[in-house]
Amino acid sequence: MSLLEVRGLTKIFGGLTAVKDVSFDVKKGEIVSLIGPNGAGKTTLFSMVTGLEKPTYGKVTFNNTDITGWEAYKVANLGLVTTFQKTKVFSSLTVEEAVLVGTHSKHKTTTLDIILRNKKFYSELERSKNKVTEILEYTKLSDKKDFMCAELSYGEQRVLEIAVAMAAEPRLLLLDEPVAGLNHTESKELMNMINDLRHSGVTILLIEHDMDLVMKISDRIVALNFGENICFGTPQEVTSNVRVIEAYLGSGEDVGGSGCY
Ligand SMILES: Nc1ncnc2c1ncn2[C@@H]1O[C@H](COP(=O)(O)OP(=O)(O)OP(=O)(O)O)[C@@H](O)[C@H]1O
Ligand SMILES: [Mg+2]
């Protein structure tokens, strides 16, 4: 069953068509990656799915709910979560506090519960703290829990972004170039973590430039070029597709797709 369905999604900025009639779906438990050269429209497509940009045309369905044009916070409440460089926002918090803030969207306490500091407030806080401990262990950040976010290394800050997103209990996690700027070992570790996350039940939509990583981790790949979906298929189908090869190498004749649509 598809968790996410994107149909005919189009974004026009003034005279520029950044995303043109893109359709694909993400099934529960899959890792689907978006690839394409710089400026191909990957981030714009993400923004239309997460509610940061309204589509010019097209439809986005998440878990059978039409979420086209919804505000970002409403989309996030449904479990469609994305990472930002939140560590910048959280620089005055400790690592543990930042992840605790990430649990906020799942709280069932009302403002009155918080003011009254009643039993419901404390049991919710306890639940959140346990979840934070679990996430910090999972992401190997436990030793750094009392560090200020700004004190973490660049690589650790990228891991923290994912830890904060995990706190919101995502059903679908959208990651825009999560390993950008990391060295080879750090990239591999983070990708392993993303893969484990998928095995724990989180569906993932990923933007990534490193083709080796994309090919290893993805179940299916959407290849964009100048805003158009030139291929949607398995890693094997995408790597052997002439339009994809042409987009990346700028050569070869377009003799049609091979196995993807
Ligand atoms: N808010 C905007 N206003 C106008 N044009 C925009 C806006 N956002 C993106 N664009 C343009 O849309 C096109 C697609 O940009 P986008 O950022 O989606 O590409 P991308 O595939 O994510 O690229 P990269 O790999 O460099 O991150 C680009 O030509 C970009 O300049
Ligand atoms: Mg981008």
Side-chain angles (χ1 to χ4, degrees):
M1 196 192 84
S2 294
L3 185 60
L4 179 76
E5 272 182 19
V6 169
R7 293 289 174 266
L9 220 49
T10 299
K11 182 70 187 182
I12 303 172
F13 291 116
L16 176 93
T17 305
V19 175
K20 190 176 173 192
D21 196 21
V22 170
S23 300
F24 66 92
D25 61 278
V26 181
K27 294 189 191 122
K28 210 167 170 282
E30 272 191 320
I31 295 184
V32 172
S33 295
L34 277 183
I35 62 166
N38 292 118
K42 304 178 295 293
T43 299
T44 306
L45 186 54
F46 256 38
S47 299
M48 288 191 281
V49 172
T50 55
L52 292 175
E53 292 280 2
K54 290 203 190 314
T56 311
Y57 306 110
K59 187 175 171 186
V60 183
T61 309
F62 179 64
N63 206 26
N64 294 322
T65 304
D66 183 348
I67 59 162
T68 316
W70 279 30
E71 299 288 335
Y73 78 94
K74 276 180 73 186
V75 173
N77 280 343
L78 282 186
L80 201 158
V81 174
T82 188
T83 52
F84 299 96
Q85 294 203 307
K86 290 187 185 112
T87 45
K88 285 203 185 86
V89 182
F90 290 152
S91 56
S92 60
L93 299 180
T94 66
V95 168
E96 187 177 38
E97 286 166 346
V99 181
L100 189 61
V101 171
T103 64
H104 177 76
S105 66
K106 288 286 148 183
H107 285 184
K108 292 180 192 75
T109 38
T110 62
T111 310
L112 190 62
D113 294 326
I114 295 168
I115 293 168
L116 295 176
R117 293 275 196 271
N118 58 15
K119 205 172 151 198
K120 193 169 156 202
F121 168 81
Y122 282 107
S123 68
E124 188 74 37
L125 188 62
E126 184 67 22
R127 194 185 86 87
S128 296
K129 282 189 167 170
N130 289 339
K131 192 160 85 183
V132 170
T133 306
E134 215 177 89
I135 292 172
L136 290 175
E137 273 170 24
Y138 185 84
T139 52
K140 302 193 176 75
L141 286 172
S142 302
D143 292 349
K144 302 276 167 80
K145 73 182 173 69
D146 297 322
F147 281 50
M148 302 306 286
C149 296
E151 293 177 308
L152 295 184
S153 71
Y154 180 80
E156 287 164 342
Q157 293 197 11
R158 304 307 311 244
V159 174
L160 178 61
E161 286 165 31
I162 294 182
V164 173
M166 281 170 68
E169 298 179 14
R171 297 165 89 165
L172 177 66
L173 183 59
L174 281 83
L175 301 169
D176 194 343
E177 301 191 34
V179 303
L182 300 187
N183 67 33
H184 185 67
T185 316
E186 289 171 328
S187 301
K188 257 180 83 179
E189 275 177 20
L190 193 64
M191 278 298 184
N192 284 339
M193 206 177 88
I194 292 167
N195 202 23
D196 289 347
L197 206 54
R198 174 257 293 272
H199 290 301
S200 77
V202 182
T203 307
I204 290 162
L205 184 58
L206 176 75
I207 295 177
E208 186 43 57
H209 278 290
D210 184 325
M211 281 307 125
D212 282 347
L213 294 177
V214 165
M215 293 305 154
K216 277 190 196 121
I217 204 172
S218 314
D219 295 299
R220 293 188 297 160
I221 295 171
V222 180
L224 294 183
N225 195 26
F226 295 112
E228 284 187 73
N229 185 356
I230 55 172
C231 183
F232 176 40
T234 63
Q236 290 76 16
E237 285 165 347
V238 168
T239 41
S240 60
N241 182 268
V242 175
R243 294 183 75 188
V244 176
I245 297 167
E246 194 181 353
Y248 275 88
L249 303 176
S251 62
E253 282 182 22
D254 187 352
V255 291
S258 53
C260 36
Y261 66 89

